[in-house]
Amino acid sequence: SQELEQSPQSLIVQEGKNLTINCTSSKTLYGLYWYKQKYGEGLIFLMMLQKGGEEKSHEKITAKLDEKKQQSSLHITASQPSHAGIYLCGADEETSGSRLTFGEGTQLTVNP
Amino acid sequence: SQTIHQWPATLVQPVGSPLSLECTVEGTSNPNLYWYRQAAGRGLQLLFYSVGIGQISSEVPQNLSASRPQDRQFILSSKKLLLSDSGFYLCAWSWTGGFYGEQFFGPGTRLTVL
């Protein structure tokens, strides 16, 4: 089965700094999904990447999928306290049948 | 617009007691439905998913079960809770037709088994 490894596990940055979170798959990705979760709440969908080399942006968050479709990165520019939370990547295989596998998450803290 | 509800929000149950968590979706028809468990605020473990009424796929063998008695209702149950069942339970839905990667999550139920 597919495994996703996220790094780092946790990250503490000063407000205004840039940061990157990585998600690496043990298999070729059919689709890669980034979610954000605030503590004690449900997940919020951020972005979906499907094509090798694809890059998408939403406000100050940019996600990329590498050409080989086995690694994705999430980059936040000029971080703000509102960016704090847990970021999880989810992935599916072409034969996964309507379900996703999630990484362990990256806990982001942004200090004002 | 679509909304997803979960209840209860929090639950404290003794070991050996039964469990019933409910999830309902409004504003869509024939959604895919999912139950996840999250331990220690980290990664999600998929427990069950359903692509239609009465169709349940189990991902992890354990003392939990799921049912989908109606199109937009998904229930997670147990006859006897274990200490290891404690965690944060999340219900989610997605569109059918291949767009299951974008999932919409409920607010979650925090279960503590004592």
Side-chain angles (χ1 to χ4, degrees):
Chain A
S1 62
Q2 187 170 48
E3 292 183 358
L4 294 177
E5 185 174 327
Q6 283 188 239
S7 62
Q9 290 186 350
S10 63
L11 191 55
I12 302 174
V13 300
Q14 206 65 29
E15 182 177 359
K17 296 295 185 182
N18 303 333
L19 62 103
T20 299
I21 298 169
N22 294 303
C23 176
T24 302
S25 171
S26 58
K27 297 184 178 182
T28 299
L29 296 163
Y30 182 65
L32 189 287
Y33 308 83
W34 283 101
Y35 286 81
K36 178 187 175 184
Q37 182 185 29
K38 292 190 176 181
Y39 179 76
E41 300 181 8
L43 279 66
I44 302 296
F45 172 78
L46 295 176
M47 278 173 279
M48 173 183 72
L49 303 164
Q50 287 189 305
K51 300 177 183 177
E54 186 174 9
E55 178 176 323
K56 287 188 177 178
S57 294
H58 175 68
E59 297 180 345
K60 294 185 177 180
I61 301 176
T62 300
K64 300 178 184 180
L65 183 62
D66 75 352
E67 291 288 345
K68 294 184 179 180
K69 296 178 66 176
Q70 284 197 264
Q71 185 173 48
S72 178
S73 59
L74 185 83
H75 185 77
I76 298 178
T77 304
S79 59
Q80 301 169 356
S82 61
H83 288 126
I86 300 173
Y87 289 82
L88 297 102
C89 62
D92 58 355
E93 302 172 48
E94 193 162 2
T95 57
S96 65
S98 304
R99 65 190 189 277
L100 298 180
T101 300
F102 282 90
E104 288 295 303
T106 295
Q107 174 83 55
L108 172 64
T109 303
V110 181
N111 292 325
Chain B
S1 63
Q2 300 80 31
T3 55
I4 178 169
H5 304 279
Q6 280 187 251
W7 64 91
T10 60
L11 192 58
V12 180
Q13 291 285 93
V15 170
S17 64
L19 172 73
S20 181
L21 302 181
E22 191 164 342
C23 171
T24 59
V25 180
E26 296 177 356
T28 185
S29 296
N30 195 32
N32 294 330
L33 295 171
Y34 308 84
W35 276 113
Y36 292 92
R37 178 168 60 200
Q38 187 177 37
R42 300 306 294 269
L44 270 66
Q45 178 187 37
L46 179 63
L47 302 175
F48 302 94
Y49 72 98
S50 171
V51 298
I53 295 175
Q55 300 178 61
I56 309 293
S57 296
S58 174
E59 290 294 301
V60 183
Q62 52 200 334
N63 69 318
L64 298 173
S65 63
S67 63
R68 185 171 178 173
Q70 300 180 42
D71 181 42
R72 291 167 292 174
Q73 184 184 31
F74 206 22
I75 297 173
L76 183 69
S77 304
S78 174
K79 291 182 179 178
K80 288 186 177 181
L81 284 169
L82 306 172
L83 286 174
S84 57
D85 291 324
S86 293
F88 191 48
Y89 288 82
L90 289 160
C91 179
W93 72 273
S94 71
W95 302 101
T96 54
F99 300 103
Y100 53 84
E102 182 178 358
Q103 297 184 8
F104 303 90
F105 284 78
T109 294
R110 186 159 300 283
L111 172 65
T112 303
V113 182
L114 302 175

